[in-house]
Amino acid sequence: MPQPVIALPLVPAQLADLLLAPAADDNLLLQQLADQLTPRRARRLMAAAHGIAAQRLWADAA
């Protein structure tokens, strides 16, 4: 039985929350976003989300 497809958020800050989750799978998120959007838009959105996630990690480390 296939898993239901859940629409991912299209806001980089919300995607960053998903990336920082303990069981996050970056490749799966990118694939789901590419299915939801286009591959190019998905990569751009993930790049922005990675930048936000990195800033949050550095802020937590400081």
Side-chain angles (χ1 to χ4, degrees):
M1 185 180 220
Q3 292 181 339
V5 176
I6 299 172
L8 293 173
L10 301 180
V11 178
Q14 292 174 340
L15 274 175
D17 293 337
L18 294 176
L19 287 171
L20 293 173
D25 183 352
D26 187 47
N27 290 326
L28 181 60
L29 287 174
L30 181 58
Q31 181 181 16
Q32 290 174 343
L33 271 177
D35 291 343
Q36 188 175 333
L37 302 169
T38 63
R40 178 175 287 177
R41 288 186 65 202
R43 285 191 303 271
R44 288 180 182 169
L45 190 56
M46 284 295 281
H50 275 105
I52 292 169
Q55 288 175 348
R56 290 180 184 173
L57 288 172
W58 277 108
D60 287 346

